[in-house]
Amino acid sequence: MVDTAQRPATLPTPEAPETSGDTGPITLNSDLAAAQVDVAALGRQLLGTWADVRIKAREVTARPDMQRIEGLSMHDHRLRVLEQLKVLAANGHVHRAFPKHLGGSDDHGGNIAGFEELVIADPSLQIKGGVQWGLFGAAVLHLGTKPHHDKYLPGIMDLSVPGAFAMTEIGHGSDVASIGTTATFDPDTDEFVINTPFRAAWKDYLGNAAKDGIAAVLFAQLITQGVQHGVHAFYLPIRDENNDFLPGIGGEDDGLKGGLNGIDNGRLHFTNVRIPRENLLNRYGDVAADGTYSSSISSPGRRFFTMLGTLVQGRVSLDGAATAASALALTIAITYGSQRRQFTAGDAEEEVILDYQRHQRRLFPRLATTYAQTFAHDEFLVKFDEVFSGKADTDDDRQDLETLAAALKPLSTWHALDTLQEAREACGGAGFLAENRLVGLRADLDVYATFEGDNNVLLQLVAKRLLTDYSRKFASADAGALARYVVQQAAGRAYHGSGLRTLAQTVTDFGSTARSVGALRDTNVQRELLTDRVETMIGEVAGHLRSANKMPKKQAAALFNSHQNELIEAAKAHAELLQWEAFTRALETTVDPGTKRVLTWLRDLFGLGLVEKNLAWYLIHGRLSSQRALSVTAYIDRLIARIRPHAQDLVDAFGYSQEHLRATISSGIERERQDEARDYYREQRASGQAPAPEKPAKPAKPAKK
Amino acid sequence: MVDTAQRPATLPTPEAPETSGDTGPITLNSDLAAAQVDVAALGRQLLGTWADVRIKAREVTARPDMQRIEGLSMHDHRLRVLEQLKVLAANGHVHRAFPKHLGGSDDHGGNIAGFEELVIADPSLQIKGGVQWGLFGAAVLHLGTKPHHDKYLPGIMDLSVPGAFAMTEIGHGSDVASIGTTATFDPDTDEFVINTPFRAAWKDYLGNAAKDGIAAVLFAQLITQGVQHGVHAFYLPIRDENNDFLPGIGGEDDGLKGGLNGIDNGRLHFTNVRIPRENLLNRYGDVAADGTYSSSISSPGRRFFTMLGTLVQGRVSLDGAATAASALALTIAITYGSQRRQFTAGDAEEEVILDYQRHQRRLFPRLATTYAQTFAHDEFLVKFDEVFSGKADTDDDRQDLETLAAALKPLSTWHALDTLQEAREACGGAGFLAENRLVGLRADLDVYATFEGDNNVLLQLVAKRLLTDYSRKFASADAGALARYVVQQAAGRAYHGSGLRTLAQTVTDFGSTARSVGALRDTNVQRELLTDRVETMIGEVAGHLRSANKMPKKQAAALFNSHQNELIEAAKAHAELLQWEAFTRALETTVDPGTKRVLTWLRDLFGLGLVEKNLAWYLIHGRLSSQRALSVTAYIDRLIARIRPHAQDLVDAFGYSQEHLRATISSGIERERQDEARDYYREQRASGQAPAPEKPAKPAKPAKK
């Protein structure tokens, strides 16, 4: 590396008086510096509702035989992960969601909590396990009926029947309703005939399809008596005892991927493959021997959404796994940043890189987001458990759960990629070495952004829901409803409708920056700023789209498309609000005052970070004056400095040991090397043996004015 | 993949009348739709000053034997790249920068142009070649003198002597001045004694060090007569004829990395390794037989910067290669997006995904930036050539070149990562397959952000230069100087000092959005908005730092640190302005009117994209009214729609053939599959054999208001 920079350095100044002319005087609290994080208690809080399951899972992920080995060939990696799956099948780690009478424990939330921890061992393990038990097995469980359960689940659970989840087609990713594969009922033989009508209808990207799978749950258009009843799921053997494809079935290996190469993704196609009628997973739709179709759900659209809705757990698990990976990355980068020294302010000793403002700016907001996601994920998991355990599974509950999934999964999976990359860059060249794990994790998690629903498509689902809610409330002519609809997205929070207007109207009154900063610290002000933005964005788009239902279809679609970007941004804002709300609720349950204080700074950093990111919106819409907008950034700078002394505690609380981190640079080796170098120079100076400088010392200085 | 979305679709509406209530009426130019891009002419313009060299290089990169094979083991990949390097050595592709009398052509600009094209074949090839000829060879060329050239360059050029560039230490990445390795002169034997005093001083991340290198240029603190004269370069054999380390030398393999695994990066350390005095590369500093040190540059600091400045070409080459990779990624994603269909507005046929507004918003601004970078890079390369050919190599020229390198390399390398990722996601699951190249390129280019100078550190160099210029101008009490200093960073542009103030003052006059949009289209308005921001940001920070030189050193450093983030943002803004200027100059040389028109939209998209990204700044500082700020986004939406019909032409003009793209999805296969599927359904409908829908067709509609 070539570099000529003398980076001006500094010491940490967490509680230094004003450093920016923009921020005005603040009240110095003498106990700020004294705030301490109770790492153990915070760690317990972060583990969440299924803490015991997670602790057990972390014992599994700490086992070397369950972990990824960097640099394995695709072939060897696949073999290794398959062996690891057998361990999971044997120890029951992956059976929690299955029925008690088959050896499971009907524990849906705990099941996901345990699954998502596997990402720390190897994302391929998490995802291949997810394919087997979370998709293939769950489809039999949720779309099949008791005969299917009794017949198929035992083999799925114990992995004697590895299977694929054959939904996605090469021509149809996120648009499942449009898949081309057909299952046509033949009453003469009492069979379904499966066909792939054209190349674009090949099933693709299916885990377990290239090599290990001997069966599949296949999604196809069900046709009987000349009528197409939409997408249904079928149980289908695909390979024989020699692991050769059964007659009429063909396929290809997807080959090397950007990551997750421990999973044998592949393609499948079908030519007149016949399966017995009872292989239709018939919970939501059935065909009688004479070919008569019946369903408990009369609307084909609602039936489709209900069937697919049972598979939401994939998204839940990705949200949790992405958040765990972000936490791991930040633990590595912040630990390293606390030990690594580079550049000097002219003193003999170099500065710790985490003391540089830019380094803090790069890592701490991402830490705040990771905390928000951790808390939001636990609430999400509770909601999922309530729906799947039957505790609260009305249609509304299920729709709320799906909207929550569609909102949170995109944000957390994108955040993981962003955080892993920033952490990698923050560790410099060392971050690029496979031994320090960041590059491998990033490569594996890349596809989380587009599988189980493309992130952009999911956010459009959220936007549609917001628009629908808006239009319902609006149509009902209840003036207050408009102000309340977003509230319902985040159940349980107190919404001060009047505060919102007050904030907007009195913004010009905030002449004093000090008062302005004070207001930004206020939980209700943050809530109002964030809530108001979602409401207003949706209201604006709804206004633009109002004329759509009077238009010809094509024109209406064009109008909608011209607001697509805004809609997705509104959905993001909504999801961020949900995360902020969860963080805020978590604060309420934090007992230790020191921990609560530091966590509040972190929550403020998250909330004000969202405001800063969208500052233009707040200015344009008159929600913030220029004066106050400036104070947002200034206050974020101050929060970052306050958080600095607690950064290590905040990542330690995630609870990952060296067995989980497995990164050379976070093992303490960097501190040893730095100490050795400093000792060397100290001794040299003390001994008088140090070579003289060519010219008298002329330390680097900051640029003079 | 599980998805339940019905994404509302649309048709492209490039010249549709107003779709947003924010934008007001525009003048419809009937010839907008008729604008055609002259792809061949634009292609020639994009090839730039060294078009002939690039065309030749693309013949090399189109050769299968020179290309990366996905999925090779690290071992095999290294072997393959070494063999490819031998081809380059044999055909002279990499010798252009070397002296004519040794078989080179003293062509510095052409050399880099040829090098950076290699990224298309395999980034490992580009970088390993860069290590051998651009770092190891160039250090001998630029830091050594004629005896070194005659003795070492022939073996370096023909690859009989593969070598490492041993600068970076594990404890010191970007802070080269602080490296620990020592070279102490021993007059008794007329030798330098090389030592690694502690673990942190091991050389690390060195290409060619793990396996192939038999020599190195080593950077070490030169000590003679008890005085340390700072970092100097030495020529040092490291391995014997059996490829074993020479006595006193040890090392390690860096092992697997996040990418670039065709390069054998490794570590080296030294214990009392003796080399003859003449192995000091003594162009800028020498030691006589009696141990007397001499240098043509009396200041140790200036000497250091001069020596390292000769190695700027690495950054030049990364800027070009990163831009080429971005162009390749966009060619793949936009070609695929133009063929891939997904979701329907209720018609029988699905929409092309590039017709979705969000998809355009994801890809077209990145296309605009890639164009800006392509033009900026060519100017950068011309500047580099002028300095290194001696046409214009004053100290000021060299400093300008280094500032330019420090400004452009960070932006283009980050842009490449961002673009490769967005392109990958825009291609969905297919983008994650290695066969479609995006994931592999992204993995390889990851480290471009931190090697050859960490991006954040480089931007601080730029900021320092801006501050220095500012303070010089300011100190000279010339009131106009302040307004001019940024101008000088981007030589040749016309700056309307008065326009800036006018803009700010009359902003409230722009009641009509139409006029507002008209102004945003104006080249001078864009220039002023961008220039003003850089000036103002630097001026503000300078104001905050004014008191620093009256402070104790530590306090001053702390003050500086508290503005580190702002400084880096200002440097980014400066670099973006340079790119915008280059794009604007390129427009002036575009002859074909249709091409010029479309390129102007693209330049406007780039310029206004920068304004939109920093909209809060413009609002806070009173440069844009809320009304006009809204029109920025609305106008960008309009530009994107206008560019849509030309998107394929704009990527085709980059000039990459299928041999360069090598991505299955951009080969036309997707169109074939889509056509086959559509034909199938058409025939089925025509034959009357199509199954009936369960209920009468009820196409998806946009949400009603």
Side-chain angles (χ1 to χ4, degrees), chain B residues 94-99 104-108 111-112 141-142 313:
Chain B
V94 288
H95 295 157
R96 292 191 183 90
F98 291 102
S105 47
D106 288 318
D107 175 6
H108 298 271
N111 179 57
I112 298 296
L141 177 63
H142 296 302
Q313 63 191 18

Side-chain angles (χ1 to χ4, degrees), chain B residues 361-376:
Chain B
R361 260 271 182 185
R362 292 164 71 185
L363 297 177
F364 295 172
R366 290 174 171 91
L367 178 63
T369 303
T370 305
Y371 263 74
Q373 284 183 185
T374 303
F375 295 128

Side-chain angles (χ1 to χ4, degrees), chain A residues 296-574:
Chain A
S296 57
I297 306 175
S298 60
S299 153
R302 223 182 116 232
R303 189 190 312 138
F304 173 73
F305 289 120
T306 302
M307 288 169 64
L308 293 203
T310 63
L311 303 166
V312 72
Q313 63 191 18
R315 291 176 192 161
V316 185
S317 150
L318 295 188
D319 183 57
T323 302
S326 302
L328 191 90
L330 289 166
T331 306
I332 292 170
I334 286 177
T335 303
Y336 179 68
S338 307
Q339 301 180 5
R340 173 78 172 177
R341 290 174 181 274
Q342 199 82 162
F343 291 103
T344 160
D347 302 282
E349 305 215 334
E350 295 168 305
E351 306 302 325
V352 166
I353 60 174
L354 199 58
D355 287 337
Y356 291 105
Q357 186 196 41
R358 177 72 168 188
H359 214 76
Q360 296 165 6
R361 261 270 181 186
R362 292 165 70 184
L363 298 176
F364 296 172
R366 290 175 171 90
L367 179 63
T369 303
T370 305
Y371 263 73
Q373 285 183 184
T374 303
F375 296 127
H377 177 71
D378 193 61
E379 295 189 357
F380 178 21
L381 200 49
V382 169
K383 176 89 188 161
F384 166 79
D385 188 67
E386 286 171 356
V387 168
F388 276 72
S389 69
K391 268 178 239 161
D393 65 346
T394 63
D395 265 13
D396 277 356
D397 287 319
R398 289 189 176 265
Q399 275 179 36
D400 281 351
L401 175 64
E402 282 170 44
T403 305
L404 201 52
L408 295 182
K409 180 264 184 184
L411 265 58
S412 57
T413 53
W414 274 329
H415 174 69
L417 297 185
D418 170 63
T419 299
L420 283 159
Q421 182 64 24
E422 197 67 46
R424 143 33 218 145
E425 292 181 29
C427 295
F432 193 58
L433 300 187
E435 68 177 46
N436 290 318
R437 294 201 64 207
L438 299 165
V439 286
L441 275 171
R442 199 208 165 282
D444 285 333
L445 266 74
D446 183 352
V447 77
Y448 287 35
T450 53
F451 72 2
E452 291 288 330
D454 177 278
N455 283 356
N456 279 293
V457 177
L458 290 179
L459 288 172
Q460 284 178 85
L461 279 182
V462 175
K464 257 187 107 171
R465 165 72 185 272
L466 296 177
L467 277 175
T468 305
D469 288 0
Y470 178 91
S471 104
R472 266 190 211 137
K473 301 295 174 187
F474 202 74
S476 75
D478 171 358
L482 169 56
R484 283 196 306 270
Y485 88 103
V486 176
V487 183
Q488 300 176 340
Q489 307 300 317
R493 71 188 164 82
Y495 181 78
H496 306 286
S498 63
L500 187 60
R501 279 195 299 281
T502 306
L503 182 75
Q505 286 163 2
T506 61
V507 81
T508 49
D509 299 338
F510 283 95
S512 147
T513 315
R515 280 189 62 202
S516 182
V517 166
L520 292 170
R521 262 198 300 248
D522 187 284
T523 298
N524 289 327
V525 170
Q526 290 178 32
R527 173 182 290 119
E528 287 156 10
L529 285 170
L530 298 174
T531 309
D532 174 35
R533 180 158 177 265
V534 181
E535 286 177 353
T536 308
M537 288 174 90
I538 290 293
E540 282 178 356
V541 178
H544 293 311
L545 296 180
R546 200 162 300 165
S547 54
N549 54 2
K550 292 169 225 142
M551 289 178 180
K553 207 162 50 192
K554 280 221 162 199
Q555 200 184 329
L559 176 60
F560 208 97
N561 190 45
S562 71
H563 293 282
Q564 190 189 28
N565 199 57
E566 285 165 71
L567 278 169
I568 291 175
E569 293 304 319
K572 260 192 191 170
H574 170 72

Side-chain angles (χ1 to χ4, degrees), chain A residues 35-270:
Chain A
Q36 290 287 326
V37 173
D38 181 339
V39 176
L42 179 56
R44 281 190 299 275
Q45 187 174 1
L46 288 166
L47 283 170
T49 308
W50 285 269
D52 52 337
V53 174
R54 292 190 190 277
I55 288 166
K56 267 204 171 150
R58 290 184 187 191
E59 289 167 14
V60 173
T61 59
R63 285 171 51 174
D65 63 320
M66 298 302 283
Q67 294 167 353
R68 171 177 172 146
I69 296 175
E70 301 291 345
L72 284 186
S73 68
M74 183 174 84
H75 176 79
D76 292 347
H77 193 184
R78 286 176 173 184
L79 287 178
R80 181 175 176 86
V81 171
L82 181 62
E83 289 308 308
Q84 292 168 338
L85 249 62
K86 290 176 186 164
V87 175
L88 297 180
N91 74 12
H93 181 94
V94 288
H95 295 156
R96 292 190 183 91
F98 292 102
K100 281 191 180 148
H101 77 273
L102 294 173
S105 46
D106 289 319
D107 175 5
H108 298 273
N111 179 56
I112 298 295
F115 249 108
E116 57 200 23
E117 291 285 336
L118 296 176
V119 76
I120 301 302
D122 184 348
S124 286
L125 179 61
Q126 182 217 349
I127 300 301
K128 184 154 171 134
V131 168
Q132 174 67 17
W133 296 290
L135 290 173
F136 174 55
V140 172
L141 177 63
H142 296 302
L143 302 179
T145 47
K146 187 147 192 311
H148 301 118
H149 298 172
D150 294 343
K151 185 168 176 189
Y152 300 127
L153 287 182
I156 294 173
M157 288 168 70
D158 71 11
L159 200 64
S160 55
V161 182
F165 181 78
M167 174 184 277
T168 296
E169 295 180 357
I170 199 161
H172 287 96
S174 292
D175 185 6
V176 175
S178 302
I179 56 172
T181 305
T182 55
T184 309
F185 183 63
D186 178 357
D188 295 341
T189 61
D190 206 32
E191 289 172 323
F192 284 101
V193 189
I194 313 290
N195 272 296
T196 303
F198 40 76
R199 184 67 183 77
W202 280 34
K203 298 292 177 184
D204 203 353
Y205 317 116
L206 318 177
N208 278 340
K211 202 173 63 63
D212 298 329
I214 62 174
V217 167
L218 176 85
F219 290 80
Q221 304 287 355
L222 188 156
I223 300 167
T224 180
Q225 298 178 333
V227 176
Q228 182 167 319
H229 292 276
V231 176
H232 286 67
F234 301 83
Y235 188 91
L236 182 80
I238 60 169
R239 284 191 173 89
D240 63 20
E241 56 279 4
N242 302 319
N243 221 37
D244 293 325
F245 279 127
L246 292 169
I249 300 182
E252 280 177 1
D253 195 319
D254 276 328
L256 198 73
K257 303 182 297 292
L260 296 184
N261 282 305
I263 307 169
D264 56 323
N265 292 80
R267 302 165 184 144
L268 296 175
H269 57 87
F270 309 93

Side-chain angles (χ1 to χ4, degrees), chain B residues 36-47 371 592 594-595 645-656:
Chain B
Q36 289 288 325
V37 173
D38 180 340
V39 176
L42 178 57
R44 281 190 299 275
Q45 187 175 0
L46 288 167
L47 283 170
Y371 263 74
D592 175 67
T595 307
H646 308 286
Q648 189 70 54
D649 284 348
L650 288 168
V651 293
D652 287 348
F654 288 130
Y656 296 115

Side-chain angles (χ1 to χ4, degrees), chain B residues 412-672:
Chain B
S412 57
T413 53
W414 274 330
H415 174 69
L417 296 184
D418 169 63
T419 300
L420 283 159
Q421 183 63 25
E422 196 67 47
R424 155 14 228 151
E425 292 182 28
C427 296
F432 192 58
L433 300 186
E435 66 176 47
N436 291 318
R437 295 202 63 207
L438 298 165
V439 285
L441 275 171
R442 199 208 165 282
D444 286 333
L445 266 74
D446 183 352
V447 77
Y448 287 35
T450 54
F451 72 2
E452 291 287 333
D454 177 277
N455 283 357
N456 280 292
V457 176
L458 290 179
L459 287 173
Q460 285 178 83
L461 277 183
V462 174
K464 257 187 109 170
R465 164 73 185 270
L466 296 177
L467 277 176
T468 305
D469 288 358
Y470 178 91
S471 106
R472 267 192 210 135
K473 302 294 175 186
F474 202 73
S476 73
D478 170 359
L482 168 55
R484 283 194 309 270
Y485 89 103
V486 175
V487 183
Q488 300 174 342
Q489 307 298 319
R493 72 187 165 82
Y495 181 79
H496 307 285
S498 62
L500 188 61
R501 280 196 297 281
T502 306
L503 182 77
Q505 285 164 3
T506 61
V507 83
T508 49
D509 299 338
F510 283 95
S512 148
T513 313
R515 280 189 61 203
S516 185
V517 166
L520 292 170
R521 261 198 299 250
D522 188 284
T523 299
N524 289 328
V525 170
Q526 289 178 33
R527 173 181 290 119
E528 286 156 12
L529 285 169
L530 299 174
T531 308
D532 174 36
R533 180 159 177 262
V534 181
E535 285 178 354
T536 308
M537 288 174 89
I538 289 293
E540 282 178 357
V541 179
H544 293 312
L545 297 180
R546 201 162 300 164
S547 54
N549 55 0
K550 291 169 226 143
M551 289 178 178
K553 207 162 50 193
K554 280 224 163 198
Q555 201 184 327
L559 177 58
F560 208 98
N561 191 43
S562 71
H563 293 282
Q564 191 188 28
N565 200 56
E566 287 165 69
L567 277 169
I568 290 174
E569 293 303 321
K572 261 192 190 169
H574 171 72
E576 289 162 346
L577 171 61
L578 298 180
Q579 293 176 334
W580 182 91
E581 289 287 348
F583 201 155
T584 301
R585 275 189 292 271
L587 280 182
E588 288 161 16
T589 68
T590 305
V591 178
D592 175 67
T595 307
K596 189 169 191 150
R597 168 151 237 165
V598 175
L599 274 197
T600 302
W601 295 335
L602 202 63
R603 194 281 318 265
D604 290 349
L605 177 58
F606 178 65
L608 296 178
L610 296 175
V611 173
E612 189 187 46
K613 200 172 67 173
N614 301 296
L615 211 48
W617 189 92
Y618 289 101
L619 286 156
I620 289 173
H621 289 79
R623 263 60 167 190
L624 291 176
S625 65
S626 292
Q627 171 79 353
R628 188 188 286 213
L630 274 173
S631 75
V632 170
T633 296
Y635 189 53
I636 285 175
D637 286 342
R638 202 179 310 170
L639 285 169
I640 281 172
R642 279 187 192 158
I643 288 164
R644 167 67 186 96
H646 308 286
Q648 189 70 54
D649 284 348
L650 288 168
V651 293
D652 287 348
F654 288 130
Y656 296 115
S657 68
Q658 290 301 326
E659 287 71 36
H660 299 116
L661 299 175
R662 305 193 299 283
T664 312
I665 47 169
S666 64
S667 67
I669 196 176
E670 183 63 26
R671 176 166 288 154
E672 284 170 32

Side-chain angles (χ1 to χ4, degrees), chain A residues 2 9-10 172 315 350 557 561, chain B residues 2 9-10 172 315 350 557-558 561:
Chain A
V2 180
T10 188
H172 287 96
R315 291 176 192 161
E350 295 168 305
N561 190 45
Chain B
V2 181
T10 186
H172 286 97
R315 290 175 193 161
E350 295 167 305
N561 191 43

